[in-house]
Amino acid sequence: AVVNQHVNATRGFEWWSTTFRTAVQSIGETLIFLTPWHRPSMLARAWCLYEISCSKKLSVAISRGQREEFYKTLREDEESIMASLCVIDLENASAWLREDRDRIFGVVRDMEGGFHGFNVKVVGMIREWVAQCARQLVSEIDEGAVEADSDLTEEQLADIERTASLLAQQGELQEAKAMYLRALA
């Protein structure tokens, strides 16, 4: 489902904060477009962040060129990805209408954890997407090695080690341990 905020502008804020939230939760998944991936404007917009917070699952779409750049950065400098995507601060987010921003802030203040809890939830969803991308990278390495019937290169082993490190940082210790042991072997 797609909701156009301009077409639905006549609906009151109560609809947006309750019916909208319920609908997003029942759909279960929100698709966001990161353009550019390292500085997406939507992660600085109050309504976009609110929609993400309503979601059970986050999916991300980026262009082919942006995806290549993202994976290159994931291989070389994963910390910069976290620094650019995981610095969510709803209190500094913008909204087209000042009253929408104020109303979203009111809803968030009443939520368990307030702004901090809100920011932590959204960052967690983005971090999980980044971890899933790293897992996909390892999966592609595995598929390529099986097809080529060859040992892994130093670069591929480094990718596995970086993925293990990322997973360990996110508390996925068993999965990280298995990848570390694999890279060591």
Side-chain angles (χ1 to χ4, degrees):
V2 174
V3 177
N4 184 323
Q5 73 183 60
H6 304 292
V7 171
N8 290 293
T10 59
R11 298 183 190 248
F13 185 79
E14 185 64 26
W15 182 87
W16 282 103
S17 66
T18 57
T19 305
F20 176 76
R21 179 180 197 86
T22 303
V24 170
Q25 288 173 338
S26 69
I27 293 167
E29 184 172 353
T30 296
L31 174 65
I32 62 172
F33 296 91
L34 295 184
T35 305
W37 74 262
H38 59 282
R39 221 177 36 256
S41 61
M42 57 85 49
L43 292 181
R45 297 183 61 208
W47 270 118
C48 295
L49 293 173
Y50 181 73
E51 182 175 2
I52 291 169
S53 78
C54 295
S55 304
K56 294 178 184 172
K57 181 180 181 214
L58 182 66
S59 293
V60 178
I62 56 179
S63 70
R64 183 172 286 126
Q66 288 285 301
R67 180 172 300 279
E68 289 172 12
E69 183 183 327
F70 172 81
Y71 274 103
K72 181 177 187 283
T73 305
L74 184 60
R75 284 185 164 110
E76 297 172 358
D77 186 16
E78 169 263 328
E79 289 298 317
S80 72
I81 291 173
M82 295 305 179
S84 64
L85 294 181
C86 294
V87 183
I88 303 297
D89 185 1
L90 178 64
E91 289 179 289
N92 288 320
S94 64
W96 189 61
L97 297 174
R98 173 72 184 191
E99 57 266 20
D100 281 352
R101 184 175 182 265
D102 293 341
R103 289 175 177 153
I104 291 169
F105 284 13
V107 169
V108 171
R109 278 187 197 98
D110 292 340
M111 294 169 77
E112 185 176 329
F115 285 100
H116 177 72
F118 178 95
N119 292 336
V120 166
K121 178 180 181 181
V122 173
V123 166
M125 295 175 84
I126 293 169
R127 288 175 60 91
E128 176 53 36
W129 172 74
V130 172
Q132 194 56 39
C133 290
R135 288 180 184 107
Q136 179 64 35
L137 182 66
V138 170
S139 176
E140 290 170 8
I141 290 169
D142 290 340
E143 289 171 13
V146 168
E147 286 177 15
D149 192 28
S150 65
D151 291 333
L152 299 178
T153 66
E154 290 295 321
E155 184 178 312
Q156 291 169 324
L157 290 169
D159 286 343
I160 293 170
E161 188 275 328
R162 280 189 292 274
T163 298
S165 177
L166 177 103
L167 293 171
Q169 291 170 18
Q170 293 189 15
E172 301 290 340
L173 301 179
Q174 289 301 105
E175 189 177 3
K177 180 181 176 184
M179 283 191 193
Y180 277 131
L181 292 173
R182 178 171 169 221
L184 283 171

